[in-house]
Amino acid sequence: MARPLFQQPLHDGWRFRAAETRLGDMEQFTAVDGWHAASVPGTVYQDLLASGAIPDPLVGRQEAAVQWVAERDWCYRLDFDLGADALRDRMALVFEGLDTFARLWLDGQPLAESDNMFVPLRVDITERLPHAGPSHHTLWIRFDSALRRGRALEAHHGARPLWNGDPSRLYVRKAPYHYGWDWGPTLLTSGPWKAIRLEAADLRIAELASPVVLGDDPAHARVDLHTRLDGDLLGSIALEHTLFDPAGTLIATHHSRATAQHTAALSVEAPQLWWPAGHGAQPLYTLHTRLVRADGTVVDAQQRRLGLRRLRLVQAPVAGEAGRSFVFEVNGREVFCGGANWIPDDNLLNRITPARYRERVQQAVDAHLVMLRVWGGGIYEDDAFYDACDELGVLVWQDFVFACGLYPAHPAFVASVETEARAAITRLRHRASLALWCGNNEDYMLAEAVGAYGPGGDLSRFEARAVYEQVLPTLCHALDPGRAYWPGSPYTASTGAEATVAGSGVRPSQDPTAGDRHSWEVWHQLMLPYQRYAEVGARFVSEFGMQSHPSMAVLEQSIPVGERFAGSRTLQWHNKAFSPVGADGHRRLAVYRADTLRHPDTLAAEVQATQFVQAEALRHAYEAFRRRWQTPGARGCGGALVWQLNDCWPVTSWAIVDSAGTPKPAWHAIRRAMAPLACAVRRGTAGVAAWAMHAGAQPMATQARWQLHTVEGDAVDDVTTRVTLAANATTELAPPPSWSVDPDRPLIASLALASDTCSARAHAWPEPYRWHCFPDPGLQIGSDADGTVTVQAARPAKGVWLDVPGTPATRFEDNFLDLLPGEVRRLRVAGTAVAADGIIATCLNTLQDPPG
C-alpha cells in the first residue's frame, strides 16, 4: 500500500571550507580544521561575507579583492539523521540547483555529478539506505572552480567570440552575468544555490501539464491535464483533479483510477479572463491534483494557479509599409507592450526575497509597464518572480540562458542544454504571464558581427543555430505547444520563399521592418542624440536605453568619502559600460550630459544631471515608439522594452530603478509616457507635431488646451479645442497655427488633455537646455492636513525633483514634474510622513542657474 510522500529539507547544519590542493577528496571532507557555518540554499560568497573572510565586494573597488574566490574549489558537508518513519520503497536526494560543477558523496561513497546550474538533480538512494530503523548519514559536495573548468573546456574545444566576461563562460552552463557584464561586477559564485531535500515516495506525481484552451468563444474554456506518475501503482489509488475559481468555489472535478500516464480535461463555463495590467483583472484559478488511497489518505499532491487567457504573437502586414508587425494579442485584443528588461536583482541570488521580487514587479506595473523580458544572460527566475507577474498582470518574455556569444554545439553541450530547457519549460509553462520563449540574447547579432550569419555569412561557423532553430523550438512545441517561440533577440525571420528555412541568413538580424530589434544607435554605436529615437524604431524594440547615476543615497553607501566627486576612480569603477575600444561608459555619459546641460560642479549635481538626461531620453523614446501604435492593421511598433528595469549592485547603469529600489526620474517620465492616456508635443526647427496615445477599448472625447509660454513665464498663446481619440491607438493632433510661427524662438509648448475620467500633460521646452537661461521658478512646497504635498511655481519649472534626504522610504506619487506659472500639483506621499520643510526640491532651473 502506497504511503504518503515524505520530504525532509536538508538546509540546517551545513559547513563549508576551501579545498586544499594538497589533499585528496576524502581528506578534504574528513579534515578537522577550516570549516565554517554555511547557509543552504546559498553561495560561497554569502558564507564568506557572513564569516568576515572577505570584504563586501559591492563597496568601493573591493570587487577586485575577492576574485580569488572564483579560482578555488569549495567543499560543503552535512551530517543528518533519518528516522524509521521516512523509509519508503523509493528514496531520493533532490537538489533543485547546484552552482555549477559539483561532485557528490553519500556516506563517503560517490553519489553523482552535476555540471549545469539550471538542471535539478534527483538521485535515487534507495539501495544506499538501511531497510529499517533510524540511521545517520553524511552528505559531501565539492564545487570545482567554474572558471578553471571552463578554461579547460575552452582549451580543448577552442576559443570562441563573445561580448562580456571571460570567453570560457560559453562552455559553462552557469549564469553568464556572474562573469561580469557592462552593468555588473564579476562574482563567480558557487554553492548549493537552491533547495536540497530528502524525498521518500512509494508513488508520486512526477509531471503535470495543464494547458489552458480558450477558443474564439470567450464563454467557454478548457484546462487539459496530462499527468505522469512515478512509482508503485499497486492497490486502489485514485487520481483527482479539482479546479476552484478565484473566489475559492469548486467548479470542476475529475476522478479516475491512477495510471502511469493519464489525460483528462476540465471545462469552465463563463471563465473569468486573465488580462495584462491596465487592460483588465488578473483572476487566478486554483488547480489541485492529488493521489488518494481508498481510505482517503493523500499519497501526493500538487497545487498551482492558472490564468484563463488566449495569447498570440501576431505578425501581419503593416498598412503602407514593408515587412510585418510584431504584436501581442491577448483575448482578442492587441496590446502595446511597453515594458522593460529584467536582470537578476542581485549577484547573490539568495538575498532576493519574495517581497523584493514583488516590489520590483509592482514598480513595473506602477509605471504602466505590461511586459518584462527575462534577459538571457541571467537565470530562469525564482517562482516568486513569476508569482508576482501572474498576480499583477505582467507579461513575461522569457529568454533561454544564452547571451552575447558564439556558443558551441558539441553533443555533450547540446545534451545538457536539452535537459536544462526541458526543466525550465515544464516548470514555467502553466504561467498565465508567460508570453514568449526566446532562444537567446544577441547571439545572432554577434554571429553577424563576426561574419557567421547574415547576408554573405559563413553559417557553418554558427553551430548553435542547431540549438536555437531545432533543439529549443522542438522542445517548446512538444512541451508547451500553445506558446510562441522566437529564435533570438534581436532576430528577423526570413520572408517569402525563405520563410520555411528559419535563420537562412538572407536578412540582417536588425531589420526594422520585421521581428524585434535592439535600438542602440542612441548611447552605443552612432551615439545619436536622444531626440532622434524616432529614427531607430522597429516593429518591436526589445532593447534601448540611456545611462544615469544611481541616487546619492546609493553612492554614499558604496563610494568612500574621499572618492565622492564626479569623475573619481571609484565612481568610474561602478560604471562597467564598455565598447570594443575599452571601458568608456563614463565618457559616453559625459557626452550626453554635456550635449544637454551645463557642467555640474558637485557630485550631487552630476547625479541630478545624468538622471535628468536619462529621463528626457526615455521620454522621447517611449513617446516615439508608442506613436507608431496606430490603428489595427497599422501597428508600426508593437512594443518597447527599456534596458533595464533594475540593478544588481550599486552602479551607474541604464536601470530606471536603482539597486536600493529607488525609482529614478526616468521611471516617472516613463510612467507618464505609458499611462492609459498620454500625449506628446514637439516644437522646433524640425517642425511641429503633437499626438495622443489612448489605450482604452472605446474612443475618448477630450478637451485639449494648447499653451505657449516664454521661459520667463509670459503667456504667448492659449487655445482650447475638442479632440476625439481613437481607441487603443495613437491619434495625430493638429497644433494651433501659432505653434509654427518663429520656430527658433525659445518658447515652452504645452498640451493638456482632459476627459471625464482622466487627464494627461506634455511639454516641449527649447532644446538643448544648455543653450538657455531658465530663471528661478519660485518653487513653493506645502503640505495639507492629510499629508498631501503641494507644489507650485511662479515661473515655468522643468523637471522638478522632490527628495527627502535620509528617508528613502518616502515616495511621491509623481515626481520629476514640469510646472507652468501658477500651476498647483497635489501629490500623495507613500512611506514615511514628511513635513514640507523637510523636502528638497531641485529642477533644471536650479541645475543651471543664469550667470551672475
Side-chain angles (χ1 to χ4, degrees):
M1 178 182 295
R3 288 167 291 174
L5 175 75
F6 173 86
Q7 291 183 329
Q8 178 179 329
L10 299 178
H11 295 159
D12 298 328
W14 284 89
R15 301 182 70 76
F16 83 106
R17 73 189 298 270
E20 299 181 50
T21 55
R22 64 183 180 85
L23 299 179
D25 287 331
M26 298 296 291
E27 295 173 300
Q28 302 284 358
F29 292 101
T30 56
V32 175
D33 299 327
W35 293 97
H36 304 277
S39 55
V40 175
T43 66
V44 68
Y45 271 109
Q46 286 170 265
D47 295 330
L48 290 169
L49 277 169
S51 66
I54 59 172
D56 189 340
L58 308 189
V59 174
R61 301 193 302 276
Q62 294 173 169
E63 172 196 353
V66 302
Q67 294 306 303
W68 63 270
V69 175
E71 299 172 1
R72 302 291 296 272
D73 296 351
W74 297 93
C75 299
Y76 283 72
R77 66 167 293 160
L78 173 71
D79 293 277
F80 68 96
D81 294 316
L82 182 63
D85 60 335
L87 298 178
R88 298 290 188 278
D89 290 344
R90 296 191 180 193
M91 307 285 291
L93 280 170
V94 181
F95 305 85
E96 295 290 347
L98 298 170
D99 180 11
T100 293
F101 292 97
R103 289 176 287 158
L104 299 87
W105 292 261
L106 179 64
D107 298 331
Q109 298 299 312
L111 179 66
E113 295 189 14
S114 178
D115 62 0
N116 190 317
M117 176 180 176
F118 308 113
V119 174
L121 182 64
R122 184 183 187 88
V123 186
D124 191 300
I125 60 170
T126 306
E127 300 304 318
R128 301 285 195 99
L129 301 178
H131 296 291
S135 52
H136 181 78
H137 304 278
T138 58
L139 179 59
W140 300 343
I141 310 176
R142 176 168 178 155
F143 292 95
D144 292 346
S145 164
L147 187 63
R148 191 183 70 252
R149 290 282 296 269
R151 286 175 175 172
L153 288 167
E154 181 186 36
H156 177 73
H157 293 283
R160 310 180 68 86
L162 84 165
W163 298 321
N164 296 290
D166 190 276
S168 67
R169 71 170 176 82
L170 297 179
Y171 290 98
V172 181
R173 296 312 298 152
K174 174 178 175 59
Y177 85 110
H178 286 171
Y179 289 80
W181 221 261
D182 58 3
W183 37 259
T186 301
L187 295 174
L188 269 72
T189 62
S190 66
W193 77 291
K194 284 195 170 184
I196 300 175
R197 67 180 181 273
L198 178 74
E199 192 168 280
D202 298 325
L203 180 66
R204 68 186 185 93
I205 302 168
E207 188 174 330
L208 173 64
S210 54
V212 172
V213 181
L214 190 65
D216 293 334
D217 182 359
H220 305 280
R222 189 178 77 243
V223 180
D224 289 342
L225 300 165
H226 308 280
T227 312
R228 181 172 65 84
L229 306 182
D230 180 32
D232 183 3
L233 283 165
L234 297 176
S236 179
I237 304 292
L239 173 64
E240 295 182 356
H241 297 290
T242 53
L243 186 66
F244 295 83
D245 71 11
T249 302
L250 177 63
I251 60 169
T253 62
H254 175 87
H255 298 263
S256 63
R257 182 180 178 85
T259 56
Q261 304 271 355
H262 190 271
T263 298
L266 301 176
S267 296
V268 182
E269 301 302 316
Q272 301 177 50
L273 300 184
W274 185 97
W275 291 93
H279 293 268
Q282 294 79 46
L284 293 172
Y285 290 69
T286 303
L287 173 68
H288 294 271
T289 298
R290 305 194 308 169
L291 296 173
V292 186
R293 292 193 324 217
D295 63 2
T297 300
V298 176
V299 175
D300 193 11
Q302 288 189 11
Q303 177 180 318
R304 61 181 51 175
R305 293 182 301 169
L306 305 174
L308 308 187
R309 55 101 178 113
R310 184 182 66 177
L311 191 148
R312 296 195 306 137
L313 174 60
V314 178
Q315 297 180 82
V318 179
E321 300 184 22
R324 293 164 295 149
S325 65
F326 197 97
V327 171
F328 288 90
E329 178 194 275
V330 183
N331 302 329
R333 181 189 305 171
E334 293 180 329
V335 175
F336 181 81
C337 288
N341 285 267
W342 171 273
I343 67 169
D345 207 51
D346 203 317
N347 274 80
L348 306 185
L349 291 161
N350 303 97
R351 299 196 299 201
I352 313 173
T353 63
R356 185 162 145 194
Y357 273 117
R358 188 176 179 91
E359 178 187 2
R360 292 291 176 275
V361 176
Q362 184 68 61
Q363 286 174 316
V365 172
D366 291 345
H368 304 298
L369 303 181
V370 299
M371 177 174 277
L372 291 175
R373 173 179 172 235
V374 179
W375 166 75
I379 62 171
Y380 306 99
E381 275 296 348
D382 189 88
D383 285 342
F385 170 82
Y386 302 100
D387 285 343
C389 292
D390 284 349
E391 294 164 5
L392 298 174
V394 175
L395 297 172
V396 174
W397 170 311
Q398 178 68 55
D399 283 1
F400 287 98
V401 179
F402 301 91
C404 299
L406 209 62
Y407 282 85
H410 53 274
F413 184 87
V414 173
S416 182
V417 166
E418 188 169 357
T419 305
E420 167 191 322
R422 183 178 295 274
I425 295 167
T426 55
R427 179 169 71 93
L428 300 178
R429 62 188 171 186
H430 71 281
R431 295 291 185 174
S433 55
L434 185 59
L436 179 87
W437 293 106
C438 178
N440 66 80
N441 170 77
E442 294 187 351
D443 288 3
Y444 284 92
M445 191 173 165
L446 181 136
E448 195 170 28
V450 299
Y453 185 74
D458 180 5
L459 300 184
S460 66
R461 296 174 54 203
F462 193 6
E463 301 100 317
R465 286 178 59 233
V467 173
Y468 311 141
E469 298 171 20
Q470 297 172 33
V471 174
L472 294 178
T474 298
L475 279 171
C476 286
H477 179 72
L479 301 175
D480 193 19
R483 201 99 47 191
Y485 173 82
W486 191 243
S489 181
Y491 181 80
T492 302
S494 301
T495 58
E498 297 86 12
T500 57
V501 185
S504 59
V506 298
R507 301 185 64 178
S509 63
Q510 287 277 63
D511 189 330
T513 69
D516 73 311
R517 189 175 194 274
H518 293 184
S519 293
W520 282 112
E521 289 83 358
V522 178
W523 181 268
H524 287 304
Q525 300 170 13
L526 303 176
M527 288 189 69
L528 289 181
Y530 64 73
Q531 293 87 348
R532 295 175 62 182
Y533 260 121
E535 300 174 26
V536 297
R539 294 297 180 234
F540 195 102
V541 185
S542 43
E543 283 191 21
F544 66 97
M546 175 64 65
Q547 272 202 354
S548 77
H549 292 308
S551 65
M552 276 299 297
V554 166
L555 293 180
E556 287 168 353
Q557 292 173 358
S558 58
I559 307 296
V561 173
E563 288 282 288
R564 292 178 192 166
F565 57 88
S568 77
R569 181 181 179 185
T570 305
L571 190 66
Q572 182 175 327
W573 182 277
H574 284 253
N575 186 342
K576 298 295 187 177
F578 63 87
S579 71
V581 300
D584 64 352
H586 64 292
R587 297 173 64 195
R588 292 172 185 261
L589 192 67
V591 167
Y592 278 102
R593 190 259 303 143
D595 281 351
T596 307
L597 302 168
R598 296 175 192 168
H599 185 70
D601 55 5
T602 65
L603 179 57
E606 165 81 3
V607 168
Q608 182 188 355
T610 63
Q611 292 192 346
F612 180 98
V613 172
Q614 183 192 39
E616 287 293 288
L618 298 186
R619 173 179 66 84
H620 271 266
Y622 273 96
E623 289 174 349
F625 299 150
R626 192 178 177 191
R627 184 184 190 182
R628 299 274 290 133
W629 182 258
Q630 297 289 326
T631 53
R635 306 298 200 190
C637 179
L641 310 179
V642 69
W643 186 270
Q644 63 221 58
L645 177 72
N646 56 325
D647 273 331
C648 63
W649 76 308
V651 64
T652 297
S653 80
W654 301 270
I656 61 173
V657 176
D658 69 24
S659 60
T662 304
K664 298 180 182 179
W667 182 90
H668 292 276
I670 292 169
R671 186 181 59 81
R672 286 190 286 270
M674 279 306 306
L677 175 63
C679 56
V681 296
R682 302 284 188 269
R683 180 187 181 275
T685 55
V688 176
W691 58 96
M693 299 155 282
H694 169 44
Q698 300 297 326
M700 175 184 286
T702 66
Q703 178 175 280
R705 185 180 182 187
W706 310 82
Q707 295 176 276
L708 288 176
H709 287 86
T710 67
V711 294
E712 291 80 15
D714 298 326
V716 175
D717 201 7
D718 192 338
V719 177
T720 299
T721 61
R722 289 205 165 270
V723 179
T724 298
L725 307 181
N728 192 20
T730 294
T731 301
E732 297 293 323
L733 304 179
S738 59
W739 278 34
S740 300
V741 176
D742 194 7
D744 290 324
R745 186 182 179 191
L747 298 177
I748 303 165
S750 303
L751 169 62
L753 295 179
S755 74
D756 293 337
T757 58
C758 56
S759 63
R761 301 177 178 86
H763 305 274
W765 285 55
E767 298 186 54
Y769 300 108
R770 61 185 169 86
W771 285 358
H772 304 284
C773 293
F774 302 108
D776 187 324
L779 291 174
Q780 296 182 22
I781 312 296
S783 58
D784 296 337
D786 62 357
T788 301
V789 169
T790 60
V791 187
Q792 59 182 318
R795 287 164 290 282
K798 174 65 182 175
V800 177
W801 182 251
L802 305 178
D803 189 26
V804 184
T807 56
T810 299
R811 302 280 170 83
F812 298 91
E813 66 169 327
D814 201 2
N815 215 330
F816 195 67
L817 309 167
D818 289 355
L819 298 175
L820 295 179
E823 183 179 2
V824 179
R825 299 288 297 277
R826 289 179 171 80
L827 309 174
R828 294 189 301 272
V829 181
T832 307
V834 61
D837 58 5
I839 299 173
I840 302 298
T842 55
C843 61
L844 171 67
N845 312 55
T846 58
L847 190 62
Q848 50 185 55
D849 294 325

